[in-house]
Amino acid sequence: MKTFEQMIDGYRNFRATEWHKERAQWQQLAEGQSPQVMVISCSDSRVDPAQILDVAPGEIFVVRNVAALVPPFETTPGRHGVSAAVEFAVQFLKVREIVVMGHGLCGGCQAALTQDLHGNEIGQGGFVAHWVDMLDEAREPIAAKYGTSGREAELAMELEAVKVSLTNLMTFPYVSDKVASGDLALRGAHFAISDGILRLLDRDSGEFSPAE
């Protein structure tokens, strides 16, 4: 894997080639952004939504965090990074779609499933444990049916995490209002690292199937 210093060579190549070829687009983007789609995805280095969806700069507004989670709407004091991004995307950029994209072999979902980090001190997994504990309720039926280890259980947790985030998005008043008016659509997706297949959630059936 490359160090940041080695990545600077990549920047030099980008500056000398792609940036010049697409200079008109970059000049337009310098005036502002108007993406139609927001993607909430995982911080995992293996799942870059721009690469998976083959989009150009300016086409998606992206938030990445552990397990692609959206906490429920709340007004308590704190640093609400995901909530701020959702607010900005919906109220100011006026995106038309929000996609929550989970992925295979997600360490955050695995931590939620095993609860191995629960009770750990901050700096020793405590931040992660507190973040993924929003999946505790969703975890219970999965653990009861599949246990807390193995790919079947992990996949079930990954898919359920997408649904939890979509449910939590609807607790934001301005999100639910725009969904009701037809100005905003919420979508769920799951990208499998092992086979490269993107699966989309059918909200009516609750099932994920490969994108066609």
Side-chain angles (χ1 to χ4, degrees):
M1 295 295 118
K2 294 180 180 179
T3 65
F4 181 68
E5 188 62 33
Q6 291 170 323
M7 291 177 186
I8 297 300
D9 289 335
Y11 155 72
R12 294 188 183 103
N13 181 61
F14 159 75
R15 174 76 177 177
T17 57
E18 294 300 317
W19 189 83
H20 278 285
K21 285 194 296 184
E22 304 293 337
R23 189 161 184 176
Q25 180 188 12
W26 286 104
Q27 288 178 331
Q28 182 180 1
L29 290 173
E31 301 298 322
Q33 60 174 323
S34 55
Q36 296 295 294
V37 178
M38 176 184 193
V39 178
I40 300 169
S41 65
C42 187
S43 299
D44 194 299
S45 63
R46 299 166 292 179
V47 282
D48 178 3
Q51 182 181 38
I52 293 166
L53 300 173
D54 191 23
V55 294
E59 291 189 310
I60 56 174
F61 184 75
V62 181
V63 172
R64 299 180 70 171
N65 64 54
V66 173
L69 293 176
V70 178
F73 178 78
E74 58 182 0
T75 57
T76 55
R79 306 293 186 182
H80 302 297
V82 177
S83 299
V86 170
E87 179 184 71
F88 183 70
V90 173
Q91 298 291 70
F92 296 93
L93 295 179
K94 301 191 184 303
V95 298
R96 300 302 305 270
E97 298 174 276
I98 300 178
V99 180
V100 176
M101 183 186 296
H103 72 93
L105 307 175
C106 178
C109 286
Q110 185 181 48
L113 184 64
T114 63
Q115 296 189 338
D116 286 346
L117 299 179
H118 277 38
N120 282 25
E121 297 292 328
I122 295 298
Q124 301 297 322
F127 277 130
V128 174
H130 181 57
W131 179 249
V132 300
D133 68 11
M134 71 178 87
L135 296 176
D136 282 356
E137 185 176 340
R139 167 195 180 273
E140 292 179 8
I142 294 171
K145 183 175 182 179
Y146 301 110
T148 59
S149 62
R151 190 67 203 114
E152 193 171 23
E154 292 170 356
L155 177 59
M157 189 76 261
E158 292 159 6
L159 300 180
E160 196 61 32
V162 172
K163 297 177 185 179
V164 168
S165 287
L166 290 170
T167 297
N168 287 346
L169 276 169
M170 286 296 287
T171 66
F172 289 70
Y174 41 86
V175 170
S176 58
D177 287 348
K178 286 181 180 267
V179 169
S181 67
D183 293 322
L184 180 67
L186 305 184
R187 306 191 186 281
H190 178 273
F191 178 77
I193 293 173
S194 58
D195 59 19
I197 293 177
L198 181 69
R199 293 172 173 83
L200 305 178
L201 173 64
D202 183 316
R203 295 298 295 273
D204 293 329
S205 69
E207 299 297 321
F208 286 79
S209 20
E212 298 179 356

